[in-house]
Amino acid sequence: MKHILFSTAMALAVANAAHADTWDMPTPYGDTTFHTQNIAEFAKDVTSATDGALEITLHSAGSLFPHAEIKNAIRSGQVPIGEFFLSRLVNEDAAFGVDSQPFLATSYEDAQKLWAAQKPVVTALLAEQGLVPLFSVPWPAQGLYTNGEIATADDLSGLRFRAYNAALEEFAALAGAAPVQVEAPNIPQAFATGQVEAMITSPSTGANSTAWDFVSHYTPIDAWVPKNIVVVNQRAFRRLPQEVQASVLAAAQAAETRGWEMSAAEADAKIAILKENGMEIVTPSAELQSGLQAIGAQMLEAWSADASEAAASILTTYQE
Ligand code: PCA
């Protein structure tokens, strides 16, 4: 009898252990990036809220899947959860790319409004792929990193320009520059080897990649406020016990709020670090801004021409 009870206890213990889930989570950016730090917090929140029933193991800096493969890895169920740069999906639907349209939404307030308009459309598109968005967090407004001062848009002509998505490629090309795709963790190497000589990114990514080692000037053109998104595979999510699902959603909501606050705090703090390390912070000239805005207007026309009715509705809702 004793023997039987013992075996039952063992079987129960094994069953319980089998119940605890571990989720591998690929992300594209490095550990010093505030997005990654926010996700680490999210993972910790999930573990504590579920008493360890769900553990999320973070694989940052594209170490488990390269950035370009993360979305499809979640879709196919190779991993249950992951993060990527939302506007990378613009080739699937214009709706994904609206936050990377130059000079459309350039403040956090506008970015919030744009996300409110974009979220339902993006959620429906992702649902078609069996994906559920958990939270989305913006980067600080995108600024210009160059050697020497850039007084007009024409000054960008001929520069080998680092790009991270199709919109930035288009922007650089329209300015007469030569775009080259480089993932954030590879920025220092791309500059060191002369593959690129200028870029547009946030003060966060500039500071995290020690931009002062390879460029002298930062011009805060505040061109757009693009977002990362964390999504889960719907099947994997539904397999979780109800109360674990609820804990994940609560932690996600907290992560979105915290992430937007972290982003806002980063903007000035990281510009200060660029300055401390000897970079020149240049107020953009009116001529530069108007030249770049003209490129933005041209791009928005092209975006609109490519937009489905649902995607176009994002713009209408936002502009209301
Ligand atoms: N950093 C990321 C995306 C936008 C940003 O600010 C990058 O440069 O790749």
Side-chain angles (χ1 to χ4, degrees):
M1 182 64 186
K2 222 176 181 177
H3 190 75
I4 292 169
L5 273 180
F6 180 72
S7 314
T8 313
M10 279 297 283
L12 271 177
V14 169
N16 263 335
H19 231 100
D21 260 309
T22 302
W23 276 9
D24 285 310
M25 177 170 188
T27 72
Y29 305 99
D31 291 332
T32 56
T33 308
F34 75 95
H35 286 282
T36 313
Q37 290 164 349
N38 187 36
I39 288 172
E41 277 295 310
F42 162 74
K44 248 177 46 195
D45 285 354
V46 168
T47 305
S48 60
T50 62
D51 274 331
L54 179 59
E55 298 262 359
I56 294 174
T57 309
L58 193 52
H59 302 270
S60 59
S63 56
L64 188 59
F65 285 98
H67 194 175
E69 290 172 24
I70 292 178
K71 194 269 286 178
N72 283 338
I74 310 164
R75 182 181 183 176
S76 66
Q78 285 173 280
V79 286
I81 187 170
E83 179 200 35
F84 53 88
F85 192 61
L86 179 59
S87 58
R88 283 190 74 111
L89 305 190
V90 71
N91 57 336
E92 296 183 14
D93 194 293
F96 292 116
V98 71
D99 68 12
S100 293
Q101 288 305 305
F103 304 104
L104 179 63
T106 62
S107 67
Y108 285 105
E109 210 189 326
D110 286 351
Q112 278 279 8
K113 259 180 71 185
L114 187 62
W115 178 222
Q118 182 189 24
K119 190 177 176 178
V121 180
V122 158
T123 302
L125 287 169
L126 290 174
E128 288 169 14
Q129 305 190 23
L131 299 171
V132 183
L134 282 185
F135 61 93
S136 183
V137 172
W139 293 88
Q142 306 289 292
L144 180 60
Y145 295 77
T146 54
N147 273 309
E149 198 172 327
I150 299 293
T152 72
D154 286 345
D155 291 346
L156 297 175
S157 173
L159 294 180
R160 288 186 299 282
F161 214 92
R162 182 254 167 175
Y164 53 60
N165 68 359
L168 185 43
E169 260 186 33
E170 193 184 345
F171 190 75
L174 286 170
V180 183
Q181 283 286 340
V182 177
E183 283 300 322
N186 304 327
I187 290 173
Q189 200 196 347
F191 275 92
T193 58
Q195 208 191 350
V196 295
E197 55 193 332
M199 65 178 171
I200 287 179
T201 187
S202 57
S204 307
T205 298
N208 288 159
S209 50
T210 61
W212 47 86
D213 288 342
F214 40 84
V215 283
S216 57
H217 287 62
Y218 178 67
T219 312
I221 53 172
D222 290 350
W224 56 93
V225 179
K227 296 182 297 292
N228 288 357
I229 193 163
V230 169
V231 309
V232 279
N233 177 294
Q234 197 166 42
R235 269 171 296 130
F237 188 69
R238 284 191 183 144
R239 251 184 258 125
L240 297 172
Q242 282 293 335
E243 66 278 11
V244 175
Q245 290 186 22
S247 299
V248 171
L249 294 179
Q253 195 163 18
E256 180 154 306
T257 306
R258 184 177 56 235
W260 282 72
E261 285 165 8
M262 286 171 98
S263 183
E266 283 267 313
D268 289 343
K270 292 292 154 82
I271 290 179
I273 288 178
L274 301 177
K275 200 167 169 182
E276 265 164 47
N277 283 281
M279 284 186 71
E280 209 63 64
I281 313 298
V282 192
T283 306
S285 71
E287 208 184 337
L288 174 62
Q289 283 303 76
S290 66
L292 296 179
Q293 279 162 3
I295 295 175
Q298 195 180 338
M299 284 177 62
L300 192 58
E301 243 173 70
W303 180 91
S304 298
D306 189 42
S308 69
E309 214 172 293
S313 78
I314 299 173
L315 206 53
T316 337
T317 309
Y318 170 67
Q319 284 167 339
E320 258 163 24

